[in-house]
Amino acid sequence: MTKLKNEKYYAILQGALRTFAEHGFHKSQVSKIAKAAGVADGTIYLYFKRKEDILIALFREKLGELVAKFRASLDERADPVDSLRKLCEIHYDELEKDVDFAVVTQLELRQSSLELRREIGASFKPYIVLIEDIVRRGVESGAFRRDLDVKLTRLLVFGAMDEVVTSWLISGRKYSLRAQAEGTADFFLRGLLA
Amino acid sequence: MTKLKNEKYYAILQGALRTFAEHGFHKSQVSKIAKAAGVADGTIYLYFKRKEDILIALFREKLGELVAKFRASLDERADPVDSLRKLCEIHYDELEKDVDFAVVTQLELRQSSLELRREIGASFKPYIVLIEDIVRRGVESGAFRRDLDVKLTRLLVFGAMDEVVTSWLISGRKYSLRAQAEGTADFFLRGLLA
Amino acid sequence: MTKLKNEKYYAILQGALRTFAEHGFHKSQVSKIAKAAGVADGTIYLYFKRKEDILIALFREKLGELVAKFRASLDERADPVDSLRKLCEIHYDELEKDVDFAVVTQLELRQSSLELRREIGASFKPYIVLIEDIVRRGVESGAFRRDLDVKLTRLLVFGAMDEVVTSWLISGRKYSLRAQAEGTADFFLRGLLA
Amino acid sequence: MTKLKNEKYYAILQGALRTFAEHGFHKSQVSKIAKAAGVADGTIYLYFKRKEDILIALFREKLGELVAKFRASLDERADPVDSLRKLCEIHYDELEKDVDFAVVTQLELRQSSLELRREIGASFKPYIVLIEDIVRRGVESGAFRRDLDVKLTRLLVFGAMDEVVTSWLISGRKYSLRAQAEGTADFFLRGLLA
DNA sequence: AATGAATGAGTCTTCATTCAT
DNA sequence: GATGAATGAAGACTCATTCAT
């Protein structure tokens, strides 16, 4: 009985990730996911109530892992400037390393219905909060401008990185995503002015 | 007689815009769009080959209008810094003024399939190029940093604004979008550093 | 354009009657009904909202016809005794002549869910009322016992005939149903006592 | 050890009765019955080959009990007229006292397929035969009309009572079923004529 | 050109039944 | 015998698209 109790649960998520990445959410029939996961169609419904719940769970799990990695790498007491540079590096690095996840996050997620996206949005929250924390620490330490709107800034930072990743994917990943981290961090920190 | 032809063509686009805004992309059946446009279901297929082509055309038309507005407002010889500030203002202003369009652009149109999104991406191109022009002029004039990666920067700028608009919509438009323009432009120009 | 507008509507009802009679309600897949009706699966949903509505409509139509036949044959001013005898004759005669309808009415209808049966019950109402009318006229004219409970009697009469028909069907229709009319009417009129 | 076997067997029947009465036949999944019976899903298949066999057994058991009660109350040598009156009383009384059983017998169990109903029909046979016995004794004793068709009469009597019970249930049991026994017996005995 | 009735391919989900433990 | 996780067949319904009028 060394088998993991949730063995099938994770097999399904894994199969779904691969299937969504390859075919997109709407063209990923439940039977296709089941085959990719190596389980019967009906088995999926022992672990998920609706097909959409697979996507929701997938995001919760994967973004949870991602945030954990950030938390592990970013020292709460480190220099906010260093933290922001590191954030860019990890963001690009992790998505470049897990292309399936990147595809699903950047491209397929957006195909889901508005209600579904709202539910998934909750999974992004901790990551947005993490960005906010860095910005806030920067302001408080005097490293960042005192007049920054923290809530606005976290969106700008997230949105900017998000678009870079999406563009990289749509263009066919012809260049290194990781290599954009420095330019991105510079943009955030120094802005455009000479 | 081309005018009459255009009449139905635009009626369909108009009906589609209203229907997408109200029901979202996936719940906007062809028959619903036809009813909103005041034409028969079959008529739509005299003007569009597939349902998806309505989306593509809608995007092309609406983003074309938007870019035209930008071009009309932004003097090619104006100060790049002023141009960038103006860009933010117009971007937020136009979307705040036409919520239907904002909803469709930011939320509903992204529900389309990957291949479709690639096609729609072409419609964004002129706008991205417009941003690129401003950045390039800034670099060439010495107003912006010489070491800027123009291609990267245009994505960062577009992505950042895009996320702010989306967030504003999802949050229920509880604050002024236009009011975010100054902070956004400051972020782009001065960055975060004190 | 001499085509009947409801041509397909009745084709579907006809196909459904044949299919239900042969396979029963639950084993009559929509696609089977469509094939029997000579239409596409989807066409059925232009005329009926749910599969169950076909059954409901079928009963409404068929029982409507049946009641019309009764009304046509039964003079409101005729002797109640004669009317009751005629009722038995017509009841058995019509069902013997239309075995498909008999099978659906007596056997397949009962397979439907309780809610559905309630809806169908409404179609039986006019027939039950018709029986009640005869009984009431009999009581008022003095031909029938004054102490009869009209509401109870109409159920007893209907239930008795209903069971005879069902039994005849289940036994394989090995004898004449029509031939039971006299004995049935005698039972109703004279009772069992010598 | 057969007693233990019977324990679960009857637990399943009991669970099925409760489940059918509460949810109706079609919404009573095997797993629901198993839960009501306090056994595992698979256990049911140790005692019944198919789900439908539960129904058949339930009918056989419950109607067997009912017939036993009739046999216990009806003296074979009693006056046929009294016997028939008593039959009506017991029939209505027993079903009014056990509404769950009434619901299942009259409404839910009839939702089964035709083949199944044929099998279940066998369970009704002893009761029908019991009615036939009374009628036959009546004819032989001279109490009932000599020209009665015994086979037809047993159906008429059973069908009439059956319909009264069903109607009482569907109407929501707003009146006393037992109170209908006298009128019913009078109808059987004296008929309608004044 | 315009219509809208008709088409039929496509899919999520349920649930009776099995079988490894 | 008992379990309950796993199976996978089955089917109602939707809706983009066609085509006779």
Side-chain angles (χ1 to χ4, degrees):
Chain A
M1 203 56 89
T2 50
K3 271 183 195 174
L4 288 175
K5 222 180 184 172
N6 287 332
E7 196 187 7
K8 305 240 168 189
Y9 176 84
Y10 287 107
I12 292 165
L13 286 185
Q14 189 58 37
L17 180 60
R18 237 185 311 146
T19 310
F20 290 156
E22 189 174 353
H23 302 98
F25 181 65
H26 280 113
K27 297 203 170 166
S28 290
Q29 298 90 333
V30 170
S31 62
K32 215 178 253 170
I33 296 170
K35 186 169 282 180
V39 301
D41 294 17
T43 304
I44 286 182
Y45 289 86
L46 296 177
Y47 295 92
F48 302 93
K49 217 174 166 196
R50 306 164 305 157
K51 181 188 172 188
E52 300 197 331
D53 288 341
I54 307 177
L55 194 60
I56 294 170
L58 191 56
F59 272 96
R60 198 179 41 233
E61 297 280 345
K62 296 297 264 182
L63 286 176
E65 289 174 21
L66 203 58
V67 169
K69 277 183 187 165
F70 278 109
R71 295 259 177 231
S73 299
L74 295 174
D75 186 343
E76 294 270 321
R77 283 174 212 118
D79 178 22
V81 171
D82 289 347
S83 289
L84 194 69
R85 291 199 177 278
K86 198 141 203 173
L87 181 88
C88 296
E89 283 168 21
I90 299 175
H91 188 116
Y92 291 164
D93 212 38
E94 289 295 329
L95 289 169
E96 186 160 34
K97 284 194 309 195
D98 189 349
V99 175
D100 275 359
F101 180 49
V103 169
V104 172
T105 310
Q106 306 298 129
L107 305 180
E108 305 310 340
L109 160 62
R110 327 275 158 133
Q111 282 183 51
S112 50
S113 71
L114 186 49
E115 308 92 66
L116 183 50
R117 250 178 305 156
R118 269 192 229 272
E119 294 194 69
I120 291 175
S123 296
F124 276 109
K125 201 63 196 290
Y127 185 47
I128 301 276
V129 166
L130 190 142
I131 297 174
E132 186 180 335
D133 285 346
I134 295 174
V135 175
R136 179 174 296 119
R137 280 195 295 116
V139 172
E140 288 168 359
S141 73
F144 293 171
R145 289 191 282 120
R146 199 150 295 184
D147 61 338
L148 280 177
D149 178 335
V150 175
K151 302 259 183 214
L152 174 61
T153 305
R154 69 183 189 181
L155 289 177
L156 292 163
V157 167
F158 177 78
M161 289 193 296
D162 194 61
E163 183 69 24
V164 171
V165 177
T166 299
S167 180
W168 167 75
L169 279 174
I170 287 187
S171 76
R173 311 197 308 277
K174 302 213 170 109
Y175 50 92
S176 162
L177 181 58
R178 168 66 189 261
Q180 313 305 314
E182 195 189 338
T184 300
D186 277 347
F187 173 82
F188 291 157
L189 293 168
R190 298 160 52 202
L192 303 176
L193 295 182
Chain B
M1 200 57 83
T2 49
K3 223 177 191 167
L4 285 177
K5 185 191 165 182
N6 282 339
E7 215 173 299
K8 299 240 171 191
Y9 177 83
Y10 285 109
I12 293 166
L13 287 186
Q14 188 58 36
L17 179 61
R18 238 185 309 148
T19 310
F20 290 155
E22 188 175 355
H23 301 99
F25 178 64
H26 280 114
K27 296 200 171 170
S28 291
Q29 298 88 338
V30 170
S31 63
K32 217 179 246 168
I33 295 170
K35 184 170 281 180
V39 302
D41 294 18
T43 304
I44 285 182
Y45 288 85
L46 297 175
Y47 295 92
F48 301 93
K49 209 175 170 195
R50 306 162 305 155
K51 182 190 177 185
E52 302 199 327
D53 289 341
I54 307 177
L55 260 176
I56 294 171
L58 189 58
F59 238 121
R60 194 177 45 230
E61 298 280 344
K62 295 301 263 182
L63 284 178
E65 288 173 23
L66 202 59
V67 169
K69 277 183 188 165
F70 278 110
R71 294 259 177 232
S73 299
L74 294 174
D75 187 343
E76 294 269 322
R77 280 171 216 120
D79 177 22
V81 172
D82 289 347
S83 290
L84 194 68
R85 289 199 178 277
K86 198 141 205 172
L87 182 88
C88 295
E89 283 169 20
I90 300 175
H91 190 118
Y92 290 166
D93 212 38
E94 289 295 327
L95 290 168
E96 187 161 32
K97 283 194 309 195
D98 189 348
V99 174
D100 269 8
F101 179 47
V103 168
V104 170
T105 309
Q106 304 296 130
L107 303 180
E108 305 307 341
L109 286 186
R110 319 238 167 154
Q111 288 178 39
S112 48
S113 71
L114 183 49
E115 309 91 65
L116 185 49
R117 215 130 17 106
R118 269 192 229 272
E119 295 193 67
I120 288 176
S123 297
F124 276 115
K125 202 63 196 290
Y127 186 49
I128 302 276
V129 166
L130 190 144
I131 297 174
E132 184 179 338
D133 286 346
I134 295 174
V135 174
R136 179 174 297 116
R137 281 194 294 116
V139 172
E140 288 168 357
S141 74
F144 294 171
R145 288 191 283 119
R146 197 150 296 183
D147 59 339
L148 280 178
D149 178 335
V150 175
K151 304 253 185 220
L152 174 61
T153 305
R154 67 183 189 180
L155 290 177
L156 292 164
V157 167
F158 176 77
M161 289 193 296
D162 194 62
E163 183 70 23
V164 170
V165 177
T166 299
S167 179
W168 168 76
L169 279 175
I170 288 186
S171 75
R173 310 197 308 277
K174 300 207 172 120
Y175 50 92
S176 163
L177 181 57
R178 167 66 190 260
Q180 314 304 314
E182 196 190 337
T184 301
D186 276 347
F187 174 83
F188 291 159
L189 293 168
R190 298 161 53 201
L192 302 177
L193 295 183
Chain C
M1 202 56 86
T2 50
K3 270 185 194 171
L4 289 175
K5 223 182 183 171
N6 288 332
E7 198 188 5
K8 304 241 167 187
Y9 176 84
Y10 287 107
I12 292 166
L13 286 185
Q14 189 57 37
L17 179 60
R18 238 185 309 147
T19 311
F20 290 157
E22 188 174 352
H23 301 99
F25 181 67
H26 279 112
K27 296 202 171 167
S28 290
Q29 298 90 333
V30 170
S31 62
K32 215 179 252 169
I33 296 169
K35 185 169 282 180
V39 301
D41 293 18
T43 304
I44 287 182
Y45 290 87
L46 295 177
Y47 295 91
F48 302 92
K49 216 173 166 200
R50 307 164 305 157
K51 181 188 173 188
E52 300 196 332
D53 288 342
I54 307 177
L55 195 61
I56 293 171
L58 192 56
F59 272 97
R60 197 179 42 231
E61 298 279 344
K62 296 296 264 182
L63 286 176
E65 289 174 21
L66 203 60
V67 170
K69 277 182 187 165
F70 278 110
R71 295 259 177 230
S73 299
L74 295 175
D75 187 342
E76 293 270 320
R77 283 176 212 117
D79 177 23
V81 173
D82 290 347
S83 290
L84 194 69
R85 290 200 177 277
K86 198 140 205 174
L87 181 88
C88 296
E89 283 169 19
I90 299 176
H91 188 117
Y92 290 165
D93 211 37
E94 290 294 330
L95 289 169
E96 186 160 34
K97 284 195 307 195
D98 189 349
V99 176
D100 275 359
F101 180 50
V103 169
V104 172
T105 310
Q106 307 298 129
L107 304 180
E108 305 309 340
L109 161 62
R110 327 275 159 134
Q111 283 182 50
S112 50
S113 70
L114 185 49
E115 307 93 65
L116 183 51
R117 249 178 305 156
R118 268 191 229 272
E119 293 193 70
I120 291 176
S123 297
F124 277 108
K125 200 67 196 290
Y127 186 48
I128 301 278
V129 166
L130 190 144
I131 297 174
E132 185 180 336
D133 286 346
I134 296 174
V135 175
R136 179 174 296 118
R137 281 196 294 116
V139 171
E140 286 168 359
S141 74
F144 293 172
R145 289 192 281 120
R146 197 149 298 182
D147 61 339
L148 280 178
D149 178 335
V150 175
K151 304 257 184 217
L152 174 62
T153 304
R154 68 182 188 180
L155 289 177
L156 292 163
V157 167
F158 177 78
M161 289 193 297
D162 194 62
E163 183 68 24
V164 171
V165 178
T166 298
S167 180
W168 167 76
L169 279 174
I170 287 186
S171 76
R173 310 198 308 277
K174 302 212 170 111
Y175 50 93
S176 162
L177 181 58
R178 168 67 189 258
Q180 314 304 315
E182 196 189 338
T184 300
D186 276 348
F187 173 83
F188 292 158
L189 293 167
R190 299 161 52 202
L192 303 175
L193 295 183
Chain D
M1 200 57 84
T2 48
K3 221 173 193 171
L4 284 178
K5 183 188 166 182
N6 283 338
E7 215 172 300
K8 300 237 170 193
Y9 177 85
Y10 286 109
I12 292 166
L13 286 185
Q14 189 58 35
L17 179 61
R18 239 185 309 148
T19 309
F20 290 154
E22 188 174 355
H23 300 99
F25 177 63
H26 279 114
K27 296 198 172 170
S28 291
Q29 298 88 336
V30 170
S31 63
K32 217 179 247 169
I33 295 170
K35 183 170 283 182
V39 303
D41 293 18
T43 304
I44 286 182
Y45 288 85
L46 298 175
Y47 295 92
F48 301 92
K49 209 174 171 195
R50 305 162 305 155
K51 182 190 177 186
E52 302 199 327
D53 289 341
I54 307 176
L55 260 176
I56 295 171
L58 189 58
F59 239 120
R60 195 177 44 232
E61 297 281 344
K62 294 301 262 182
L63 285 178
E65 289 174 23
L66 201 59
V67 169
K69 277 184 187 164
F70 279 109
R71 295 260 177 230
S73 298
L74 295 174
D75 187 343
E76 295 268 324
R77 281 171 214 120
D79 177 24
V81 172
D82 290 346
S83 289
L84 194 68
R85 290 198 178 278
K86 197 141 205 172
L87 180 88
C88 296
E89 283 167 21
I90 299 176
H91 190 116
Y92 290 166
D93 214 36
E94 288 294 330
L95 289 168
E96 186 160 34
K97 282 194 310 194
D98 189 348
V99 175
D100 268 7
F101 179 48
V103 168
V104 171
T105 310
Q106 305 295 128
L107 304 180
E108 305 306 342
L109 286 184
R110 318 236 168 155
Q111 288 178 39
S112 48
S113 71
L114 183 50
E115 308 90 66
L116 186 50
R117 214 128 20 102
R118 270 192 228 271
E119 294 193 67
I120 288 175
S123 296
F124 276 114
K125 203 63 194 291
Y127 185 49
I128 301 277
V129 165
L130 189 144
I131 297 173
E132 184 179 338
D133 285 348
I134 295 174
V135 175
R136 179 174 296 117
R137 282 195 292 117
V139 172
E140 288 168 356
S141 74
F144 294 170
R145 289 191 281 119
R146 196 150 297 183
D147 60 340
L148 280 177
D149 178 334
V150 176
K151 304 256 184 217
L152 174 62
T153 305
R154 67 182 189 182
L155 290 176
L156 292 164
V157 167
F158 176 77
M161 289 193 296
D162 194 61
E163 182 70 23
V164 170
V165 177
T166 298
S167 180
W168 168 75
L169 278 175
I170 286 186
S171 76
R173 311 196 308 277
K174 301 211 170 112
Y175 51 92
S176 162
L177 181 58
R178 169 65 189 262
Q180 314 305 314
E182 195 188 338
T184 301
D186 276 349
F187 173 84
F188 292 158
L189 293 169
R190 299 159 54 201
L192 302 176
L193 295 183

